[in-house]
Amino acid sequence: MIKRGVSLYSYQQAQFFKQMSWKDQIVEVHDNLKCDGIEIIDEAVIRDYPFPSEQFIFDWNNFMARYDMNAVTMDIYMDVHQFRDHVMTHKEAAERLKNDIKIAAKLGFKNVRCLCLVPIDVIEMALDTAEKYNVRIGKEIHAPLPIKLREDRPRPTKGMAAALDYRMADQIIELAQRTGSKHVGLVPDFGIFQHSPTQISIDYEKRHSAHPEIIDWILENRFSYTFDELFDLMNEKFPGNNMGYGLVERFGLKESSAVPEDLIDIIPYIVSFHGKFYQMTEIEGQPGCYEDKSINYEDPIRILCENGFDGYIDSEYEGQRCQQDRGVAYLADEVEEVRRHHEMLSRLIAKYSK
């Protein structure tokens, strides 16, 4: 059965302004969202990371037990420049991952999440530690990556996306099968099901762009051309615009990077989900019901329910970052956004669990 949780990353703004501590956030999840899943980013929550004190560890476990909460996934950000005098080697990265696994175990987390850019050999070198401490390593599938390579969705040949390894999910499954380990898997991010640009990102880009008309041109033409074609045409139509390929990737989006049906084959390897969303809006004609207009949630949740997925979707709100430039008066209400997200999750899970 699909269970609901929250990445405390969703409340980053409230934390920054000291409106909510991590304890306040856990109480919000328990009292108002009526769910028990907690996900954190290690550096954002763990005091004195990567060497937390026994006092913090006790305080965390005690507070989680007080509210009967479940520590689902600890997100790891591997700073490969942390030593400042050199870029971290793969062996050093594996040692860092091992240390994070030990921290996660002490805090009661069942899983750790690695970014999609973490090399597969780094994960393999840390597998013994994951087995020893019974913590599962999940590698994130993040947009613009697919779940499976498909001929009808060719890879970009330019920009950052061209440098990514599009066989990432296959590599993790191959590692799990080759080693026989049940302690390695995947963390799909719902951003892979984003099918159109978000309105708040469009508004943000226009506020900061010297050529907002280019944004409108991309939006108007995105269904007629590939990313590469859009980029070339944009430079022809607006010579000397200094707009990068990333602009086309963000606003030329017309379909998701992943196909929901591809979830079926990877369900046994899913550690947990990132419930990425940017802006929850009320559905027309359905008061009190919300959706993120840019991300397909309904089909993936239906498929997960129909195929017996048993795990967490942890809300991961990121829309505040497109609004913070306007000043305090325009800040998004993170608490309300997450509550709306959970209205949607609860409604869809109930709809397809019957």
Side-chain angles (χ1 to χ4, degrees):
M1 179 178 178
I2 298 177
K3 296 179 273 287
R4 294 181 293 115
V6 177
S7 169
L8 300 190
Y9 175 76
S10 299
Y11 304 123
Q12 58 183 275
Q13 186 172 273
Q15 177 175 318
F16 177 81
F17 286 107
K18 301 189 185 305
Q19 297 165 339
M20 297 178 79
S21 66
W22 62 264
K23 292 182 178 180
D24 296 327
Q25 294 164 25
I26 288 172
V27 172
E28 164 65 21
V29 175
H30 177 272
D31 288 359
N32 294 311
L33 301 182
K34 307 300 182 186
C35 62
D36 68 347
I38 296 294
E39 180 168 340
I40 67 168
I41 294 178
D42 48 17
E43 298 174 3
V45 173
I46 301 173
R47 189 175 182 86
D48 299 323
Y49 172 87
F51 306 110
S53 67
E54 291 301 316
Q55 179 179 349
F56 175 84
I57 294 169
F58 173 83
D59 197 20
W60 170 269
N61 287 322
N62 186 64
F63 201 80
M64 291 285 282
R66 176 181 174 184
Y67 287 91
D68 197 24
M69 303 301 277
N70 186 21
V72 180
T73 301
M74 187 180 90
D75 294 349
I76 294 168
Y77 278 84
M78 200 164 287
D79 179 6
V80 297
H81 294 98
Q82 66 174 300
F83 300 118
R84 297 298 182 264
D85 61 342
H86 70 283
V87 177
M88 192 186 294
T89 67
H90 285 204
K91 286 187 176 181
E92 287 174 323
E95 290 303 313
R96 176 64 175 267
L97 177 53
K98 291 176 185 179
N99 187 63
D100 286 331
I101 290 168
K102 295 173 186 177
I103 294 171
K106 289 180 180 179
L107 297 175
F109 284 96
K110 313 297 189 303
N111 315 296
V112 295
R113 181 230 58 176
C114 291
L115 289 168
C116 55
L117 295 175
V118 174
I120 194 75
D121 66 313
V122 170
I123 293 174
E124 184 168 4
M125 283 188 277
L127 260 184
D128 286 348
T129 302
E131 301 266 0
K132 178 179 178 180
Y133 289 90
N134 196 24
V135 172
R136 207 171 178 194
I137 304 172
K139 194 173 186 184
E140 185 175 23
I141 309 177
H142 194 286
L145 292 172
I147 296 172
K148 295 181 180 179
L149 282 172
R150 286 177 171 261
E151 292 183 2
D152 60 336
R153 299 192 181 194
R155 291 183 53 172
T157 60
K158 302 175 182 176
M160 183 188 73
L164 296 174
D165 191 336
Y166 275 52
R167 288 194 65 255
M168 193 206 75
D170 288 340
Q171 288 177 343
I172 287 292
I173 292 171
E174 289 167 3
L175 175 61
Q177 292 176 345
R178 175 167 54 81
T179 61
S181 177
K182 297 185 181 300
H183 286 79
V184 62
L186 298 162
V187 178
D189 182 293
F190 264 83
I192 62 178
F193 302 119
Q194 181 179 349
H195 50 72
S196 56
T198 67
Q199 188 59 50
I200 55 173
S201 67
I202 293 170
D203 294 341
Y204 177 89
E205 192 66 34
K206 285 185 175 182
R207 287 196 300 272
H208 294 272
S209 176
H211 304 282
E213 68 275 10
I214 297 180
I215 311 299
D216 290 328
W217 180 85
I218 294 173
L219 292 169
E220 290 168 5
N221 291 277
R222 62 194 173 102
F223 290 104
S224 301
Y225 304 100
T226 65
F227 285 167
D228 290 354
E229 291 168 342
L230 272 175
F231 183 66
D232 292 338
L233 286 170
M234 177 183 74
N235 288 323
E236 288 179 16
K237 186 173 179 62
F238 305 95
N241 63 75
N242 295 320
M243 297 293 193
Y245 192 83
L247 192 78
V248 169
E249 289 180 299
R250 294 198 304 278
F251 300 110
L253 190 64
K254 56 180 177 288
E255 63 182 0
S256 60
S257 64
V259 176
E261 286 73 17
D262 287 345
L263 285 169
I264 297 172
D265 290 339
I266 69 167
I267 283 177
Y269 302 97
I270 295 175
V271 167
S272 62
F273 274 89
H274 275 174
K276 175 73 61 59
F277 71 102
Y278 297 99
Q279 185 178 37
M280 301 302 294
T281 56
E282 193 168 57
I283 302 172
E284 186 175 354
Q286 299 184 49
C289 296
Y290 299 90
E291 64 179 350
D292 186 314
K293 292 181 180 295
S294 68
I295 299 176
N296 179 4
Y297 265 88
E298 185 145 359
D299 289 330
I301 287 179
R302 172 181 57 79
I303 288 166
L304 291 172
C305 289
E306 290 174 352
N307 291 276
F309 173 68
D310 184 17
Y312 281 86
I313 298 176
D314 295 332
S315 296
E316 187 185 48
Y317 175 49
E318 286 195 3
Q320 63 276 75
R321 299 190 299 185
C322 289
Q323 302 170 66
Q324 291 166 339
D325 63 306
R326 303 175 68 196
V328 174
Y330 294 94
L331 292 180
D333 186 340
E334 294 170 312
V335 171
E336 177 60 22
E337 287 287 338
V338 176
R339 288 180 184 179
R340 292 181 178 190
H341 191 247
H342 276 258
E343 181 284 320
M344 179 193 70
L345 290 179
S346 298
R347 174 167 44 82
L348 292 178
I349 292 169
K351 178 179 178 178
Y352 292 111
S353 294
K354 296 177 182 178

